[in-house]
Amino acid sequence: MGDARIDLPGRMRGPRSATSRRPPGEFWAITALTLLAAAFRFVDLSARTYWSDEGFTLYRIFGSWADVVSNFVNLQGLSTSDIHPPLYFVALKLWITAGGTNEFLMRAFSVFCGILIVPLTYALGRRAFGRAAGVFAALLAALCPAYEWYAWEIRMYSLTPMLAALTTYLLVRAVSGPRTRPRALMAWVVMSLVSVFTHYSSVSLLLAQVFFAVPMLIR
């Protein structure tokens, strides 16, 4: 299908040649899908009400930095802890420190993560299976109801799939071609740690990625 294709068992095929540059129509298709995703996710963003899990987020980000990192939550005088790792809350606290505590801006953090899923999914699909697969994957990501829903929440559920797409792309890039790309592999290691400290479910994806990559690395 024009681009690098998965060739199992073994390594992926070699790097793209100069003749496989992205056609202008493909660029504008991905741009249009990304803008479409942005339009869907920003619609009525400030008209939504908080729900219970978002309340835990607010308690965490409006606490001290020490409370954020330690997962401590002071819930109306009662001391408790949040089971989720702290990285998302650290990032959101930095976000509101720079932009303010307006509800629209707080939700916009997840929205931007939800928008970035589209081009990242395209890049992953294109590198692994070719141009057509990349565009189709981007279309599914732009229209996915779950991605849209979680992009509205002040929780880590939009950042997590964005990081999943990014880490998978980095790993595919690292093991594609006749030689391993050390920079891409190191970037995958770093972003995998970021993913795990965003949501513990990323551990299962990390194990699946390792299972996928090890046979290619040892050939």
Side-chain angles (χ1 to χ4, degrees), residues 1 6 15 18-20 46 50 67 75 80-81 84 86 91 100 112 125 136 142 144 154 159-160 168 174 190 201 203:
M1 287 188 285
I6 292 180
T19 59
S20 63
S46 58
Y50 295 117
D67 292 342
L75 187 60
T80 185
S81 60
H84 295 295
F112 284 122
F136 183 66
C144 177
I154 311 176
L159 177 59
T160 299
T168 307
V190 172
S201 65
V203 173

Side-chain angles (χ1 to χ4, degrees), residues 22-151:
R22 184 180 298 106
E26 186 177 346
F27 169 81
W28 289 115
I30 300 305
T31 300
L33 289 173
T34 303
L35 293 175
L36 179 66
F40 285 160
R41 286 149 178 75
F42 273 113
V43 169
D44 293 332
L45 185 62
S46 58
R48 303 178 184 280
T49 57
Y50 295 117
W51 71 293
S52 57
D53 276 17
E54 290 179 309
F56 272 95
T57 299
L58 298 180
Y59 277 114
R60 287 190 68 164
I61 64 175
F62 289 120
S64 67
W65 281 105
D67 292 342
V68 172
V69 174
S70 65
N71 289 10
F72 175 81
V73 178
N74 186 349
L75 187 60
Q76 297 179 345
L78 298 176
S79 298
T80 185
S81 60
D82 193 339
I83 63 172
H84 295 295
L87 196 144
Y88 165 79
F89 304 99
V90 170
L92 186 58
K93 191 172 179 68
L94 289 172
W95 176 271
I96 66 172
T97 300
T101 58
N102 178 278
E103 181 183 350
F104 181 89
L105 289 175
M106 287 192 291
R107 293 190 185 278
F109 182 82
S110 292
V111 169
F112 284 122
C113 293
I115 294 170
L116 287 174
I117 289 174
V118 176
L120 285 172
T121 302
Y122 157 74
L124 171 58
R126 184 177 191 267
R127 177 161 290 275
F129 300 107
R131 293 188 181 117
V135 174
F136 183 66
L139 174 64
L140 294 180
L143 301 179
C144 177
Y147 286 167
E148 183 177 349
W149 178 270
Y150 288 119

